[in-house]
Amino acid sequence: MSGTESPERVSFDSEAIPPDARIERYRALYAMGADITQIGPFPRATFEAWRLDRALLYDRHLNDIGHGRGELRAGRDGFTHWTVTLLIDGLLQVDLGDGIRDLKPGEIILVDVSRTGRNMMRDAHIATLAIAQDRIEETIGPLSGFHGLVLDADDCRLYADFVRSLLTNLPTMKTSSLPGATSALCTLLKVALESHGLRDPVVDASRDGRRLGQFRILVDGRLGDPGFDAETAIAESGVSRATLYRLLRPHQGLAAFIQTRRLEQIRRALSNPAEQRPFAEIAIDAGFLTESHASRAFLARYGLRPGGYRAAVATAVAEVDPIEQIRLWQQELR
């Protein structure tokens, strides 16, 4: 995707679908991420989903609809990303296991998608940022302890204003602006957390986030070297072994972090319709010693074999299938 192209968007409007098929079509859209229930007599769903930088921004109008992630789904799909949901108007109820909470317009809630929970919407207008954990932690630092945190409208006013402006301007923006826009969302969320009274923890955490971001840049620059391993990374990072292991504990350790970055490089290559190299060449370029090892690791992380993933990309591009597009975009959040 070049920097002159417009951001990618998926739209859905239940009113354009026969009444007896509306809820099922919406359920199919969310099949990978949530169980959909009808909670009232007049279910309605319209949304636009925008692809940012390892993040998705949803602008949704929902009525009489509930989303749920039970233990079976949370344990099965392997999602590790976070959502930041802003209630613009209407009623949003959230239950993360400690009872139902009603959000007020202007408030936002942070949710770790790897955990169980459910929400219910009635005449609700909500904007949800779904973002890869390591992408947001580069700015804010480790997010542990923030699951279920609700920020008051006064605390997150700057974040909310920027989200509204971004949704208005995304249709005319260029893809080259999306990394900056995503970083701005993270920075304004950090401001909201500090306004909420969490300044000291956020400052300490954001210091870790900067270290993690710098280490990721180091790793990404060496992915093509199959000899680049945990010991080499420690030696070149300038960070103590103890600090590095602490930073990477949420990512299953140093070796797993390096492999994840290699797999992300492969996924990005397979997501590019113009990339015509055979998978074996792409895998070796990412630092894997064998095609078979790369293929097994790719399947374990993304739930599809490389050939299947590449075919799904081709289908989504050729047919503009919103279900397939959402499915592929969600893989970027791992």
Side-chain angles (χ1 to χ4, degrees), residues 138-292:
E138 290 176 8
T139 301
I140 295 176
L143 294 168
S144 57
F146 291 158
H147 174 63
L149 177 65
V150 175
L151 301 179
D152 298 335
D154 288 342
D155 296 330
C156 55
R157 196 176 306 281
L158 285 174
Y159 176 89
D161 287 348
F162 183 73
V163 167
R164 293 187 182 95
S165 176
L166 187 58
L167 289 171
T168 299
N169 289 284
L170 270 168
T172 59
M173 291 174 63
K174 305 301 182 185
T175 56
S176 57
S177 303
L178 298 183
T182 307
S183 294
L185 285 166
C186 296
T187 298
L188 291 173
L189 180 60
K190 176 185 172 184
V191 171
L193 290 166
E194 293 176 350
S195 298
H196 190 69
L198 298 172
R199 185 180 185 282
D200 290 342
V202 169
V203 169
D204 291 341
S206 62
R207 186 180 301 113
D208 283 349
R210 287 193 298 273
R211 287 173 173 168
L212 187 62
Q214 292 166 355
F215 182 70
R216 181 175 62 82
I217 292 171
L218 167 67
V219 170
D220 286 354
R222 295 292 303 278
L223 291 179
D225 178 3
F228 183 74
D229 57 12
E231 291 303 316
T232 308
I234 292 170
E236 295 184 6
S237 69
V239 179
S240 72
R241 181 185 298 268
T243 297
L244 203 53
Y245 273 70
R246 177 177 60 80
L247 290 175
L248 297 176
R249 192 175 299 121
H251 303 277
Q252 288 74 55
L254 181 50
F257 182 83
I258 294 173
Q259 175 161 297
T260 296
R261 299 308 302 167
R262 286 187 162 126
L263 290 170
E264 174 62 15
Q265 177 171 308
I266 290 174
R267 188 203 59 74
R268 286 198 303 268
L270 296 179
S271 297
N272 181 4
E275 175 60 82
Q276 298 298 316
R277 290 181 299 164
F279 175 71
E281 186 175 337
I282 294 172
I284 291 173
D285 189 50
F288 282 93
L289 292 174
T290 68
E291 176 184 1
S292 59

Side-chain angles (χ1 to χ4, degrees), residues 290-302:
T290 68
E291 176 184 1
S292 59
H293 179 204
S295 180
R296 290 193 302 271
F298 191 93
L299 174 62
R301 180 160 183 82
Y302 298 113

Side-chain angles (χ1 to χ4, degrees), residues 98-109:
D98 53 357
I100 296 175
R101 173 165 185 171
D102 293 356
L103 264 68
K104 303 182 183 70
E107 292 183 334
I108 64 176
I109 183 168

Side-chain angles (χ1 to χ4, degrees), residues 7 33 47 53 81 102 123 128 133 159 192 221 239 272 301 304 319:
F47 73 75
D53 178 34
H81 64 274
D102 293 356
D123 289 324
T128 297
Q133 180 173 331
Y159 176 89
V239 179
N272 181 4
R301 180 160 183 82
L304 288 171
E319 301 179 4

Side-chain angles (χ1 to χ4, degrees), residues 12 14 17-31 34 36-38 43 45 65 323:
F12 176 84
S14 61
I17 299 171
D20 59 349
R22 289 173 181 173
I23 195 70
E24 288 306 318
R25 180 63 174 172
Y26 185 72
R27 185 173 284 126
L29 273 173
Y30 278 82
I36 303 302
T37 56
Q38 179 177 334
I65 287 177
I323 295 177

